[in-house]
Amino acid sequence: MPHHTFIVNGERVSVDTEDNVRLLWVLRDLLGVTGPKYGCGLEVCKACTSHINGKAFNPCAVPVGDIRPTDEITTIEGIADRQTGALHPMQQAWLDHDVAQCGYCQPGQIMTAIAKVRQARAAGREITDADLDDIRNICRCGTYHRIREAIKSAAGKM
């Protein structure tokens, strides 16, 4: 069985599994990292959104065989301050704005929001309504207004 090594939330991990197993299942079933949620498996709902090398991606659509040993995967579990345990500003904004209802999509929503704010900053600007309109994560509970407010609030603290 193929052996795969990469970094998850700052820790080097290794798994033995077939190359075609989707990274989402490796994270959840083999590594016990359950923040990224399964929703559709087709990169549509984006409940599994995580970061690879600092950019948002959907591990439901990426075979583990495509992950290199130098790749750094960050999930919702890996964004709080590792030394103090303080929540990431985006996580805190979610609480401050009472975003979550069922909560299922929230890890993916937060990871997408962080990537979107970083993308705007890399372009030398603040997050705009147009940026927020580009976010395509699905929320069954419909808390989109609170999600947008939380993102705007956290952007100023990141």
Side-chain angles (χ1 to χ4, degrees):
M1 186 159 309
H3 186 76
H4 304 277
T5 300
F6 47 95
I7 301 163
V8 175
N9 297 327
E11 305 280 329
R12 182 156 299 282
V13 297
S14 294
V15 294
D16 294 321
T17 192
E18 297 300 327
D19 290 341
N20 65 346
V21 174
R22 300 300 170 153
L23 183 60
L24 179 61
W25 302 123
V26 171
L27 291 169
R28 291 183 59 80
D29 295 344
L30 301 180
L31 297 173
V33 179
T34 59
K37 304 296 188 227
Y38 175 74
C40 66
L42 302 169
E43 289 187 281
V44 174
C45 75
K46 304 194 181 303
C48 66
T49 302
S50 300
H51 294 172
I52 185 166
N53 304 321
K55 297 187 180 202
F57 84 117
N58 299 106
C60 72
V62 177
V64 70
D66 290 353
I67 304 300
R68 299 178 313 254
T70 56
D71 284 336
E72 295 186 34
I73 310 302
T74 306
T75 68
I76 192 78
E77 291 91 345
I79 64 172
D81 186 292
R82 289 190 184 131
Q83 293 183 349
T84 67
L87 294 178
H88 185 281
M90 196 65 72
Q91 289 173 303
Q92 187 61 54
W94 244 246
L95 294 173
D96 294 345
H97 290 269
D98 198 25
V99 172
Q101 284 187 22
C102 82
Y104 196 80
C105 70
Q106 300 311 299
Q109 295 272 6
I110 290 170
M111 297 304 287
T112 297
I114 291 168
K116 185 56 78 174
V117 170
R118 287 179 180 163
Q119 181 183 29
R121 292 274 164 73
R125 58 185 178 73
E126 295 299 316
I127 192 118
T128 66
D129 282 334
D131 292 318
L132 298 176
D133 291 345
D134 283 342
I135 295 176
R136 296 288 181 223
N137 295 58
I138 295 172
C139 174
R140 286 183 53 185
C141 301
T143 65
Y144 296 111
H145 176 71
R146 290 185 296 205
I147 289 168
R148 291 171 76 95
E149 292 304 312
I151 295 169
K152 290 176 188 176
S153 172
K157 300 172 185 163
M158 288 177 51

